[in-house]
Amino acid sequence: MKEILLCKYGEIVLKGANKNFFETKLCAQLKHKSKAHGEFEVTRAQSTVYIEPLTDDCDIDGMMADACKVFGIVSVARAAVCEKNIDSICAMARTYLPDKLAGKKTFKVEAKRADKRFPLDSMEIAAEVGAAVLEAVPGIRVDVHNPEVTVRVEVRETNAFVHPGPVKAAGGMPVGTNGRGMLLLSGGIDSPVAGYMMAKRGMTIEAIHFESAPYTSQMALDKVLRLAQIVSEYNNDEIIVHVVSLTHIQEELVKAVEEDYFTLLLRRYMMAIADIAADKCGCCALITGESLGQVASQTAEAMAVTNPLANRPVFRPCVGLDKEEIVEVARKIGTFETSIEPYEDCCTVFTPRHPRTRPELAKVLEQENRLDFKPLVDEAVAGMYRVVIRPGKPWTTR
Ligand code: ATP
Ligand code: MG
């Protein structure tokens, strides 16, 4: 018996003249993912991508799990392929479905005919296949209103497909269809989620991480790179992380400015450096994991003080989410357990006891002018280095 994966488009179906651009990216990304699981053919027709194993040793489960990480498709079904006649379809339902329906009490059948020349209509197909399932699966009954499983029969151009319903996939738009964004990636819970959310809208993500060695350790940096590696799986299997040292800036700030302003000023430096990095890499936006009011530096007033350093939009996809909601996404995408490993961040060294929550720009600038802002920024940018990270592959720093 031959099985195939049917991947259904999300928002791409709404695209007009440029639909082909989105479909081409989507298929290329699925094809790329497939290479880790054997020899597959990836084709598309009628708002569906078909992923077909070409040899018996293909890992269909692995492919299915990876397909669910590619943005642009809303569901993936693992289906049995059969000839386009009702006898073959019913025979397939009898052999293929009993395993999948084991232990289930109720089902219904939904049939779709993309090929209207097929001699039975959808209702007739559903009735025939329903009877076949009743015969083949002991103890199961039909419930059209609230079934435990909805068996699908799809009669398409070349074949018919039978499956016990699709699983939910990632949704969104294919990565690379909506520009490039520079993610300020810390080791926390929020920023990996922010990167995921923007990748979901089709942005290719690049990341910048600020460290503060020797106050922050190699282990802390390693944790961030491991987080980046998880995010890379949603970013067409690659992410470039730019690493910048803030050590000198922090040491100068500690000497020169009032403690209350320390974090805010540090964040202005981060924003300025990230903006230069974004410019160098063709990123049209910055992305942060900020959530309104979560900490002192994330009030609207504090954001108003840091935002002007960016010469491009600053996307904060977590801004309206509660911590609980961010954690839920972090768990779903697999970053949570790594994020909660207890390593220090540059923001947690030299932390003020009473950070400003309602800063005034004039006062902030007065503090900032105690140091030479630009040379410190330039020095940090000059020391920036990049790490290329891919799933399952080792990376080297420096
Ligand atoms: P997160 O969980 O993402 O660390 P947080 O709640 O700890 O967020 P902050 O430390 O105030 O919040 O940081 C807010 C945002 O600033 C982060 O989401 C991230 O985008 C950016 N940021 C903070 N620290 C760093 C860092 N060391 N390197 C790069 N970006 C950072
Ligand atoms: Mg943080």
Side-chain angles (χ1 to χ4, degrees), residues 272-285:
I273 295 165
D275 192 70
I276 293 171
D279 210 45
K280 281 179 189 281
C281 305
C283 293
C284 57

Side-chain angles (χ1 to χ4, degrees), residues 171-248:
M173 317 262 262
V175 164
T177 58
N178 250 332
R180 187 172 270 276
M182 182 64 77
L183 168 69
L184 283 78
L185 180 66
S186 70
I189 297 169
D190 310 330
S191 47
V193 168
Y196 164 86
M197 288 173 78
M198 295 317 299
K200 183 174 178 185
R201 294 308 301 163
M203 274 205 132
T204 303
I205 305 301
E206 206 155 320
I208 184 166
H209 175 68
F210 299 100
E211 62 166 358
S212 191
Y215 306 105
T216 58
S217 63
Q218 180 64 38
M219 306 266 275
L221 175 60
D222 184 70
K223 168 189 168 178
V224 173
L225 299 178
R226 281 184 285 122
L227 280 172
Q229 191 172 40
I230 300 170
V231 175
S232 76
E233 291 181 37
Y234 301 93
N235 194 49
N236 205 13
D237 284 344
E238 184 180 288
I239 193 162
I240 295 167
V241 183
H242 304 268
V243 183
V244 181
S245 171
L246 286 184
T247 310
H248 187 207

Side-chain angles (χ1 to χ4, degrees), residues 1-6 31 34 37-43 50-61 63 77-79 81 161:
M1 179 212 323
K2 190 167 179 66
E3 287 182 296
I4 192 171
L5 298 178
L6 303 173
K31 179 77 192 168
S34 76
H37 306 291
E39 216 182 310
F40 288 86
E41 187 173 61
V42 177
T43 53
Y50 296 73
I51 306 178
E52 188 181 346
L54 297 179
T55 56
D56 288 342
D57 57 356
C58 285
D59 173 10
I60 301 182
D61 283 332
M63 182 65 235
R78 181 176 179 153
V81 184
F161 305 95

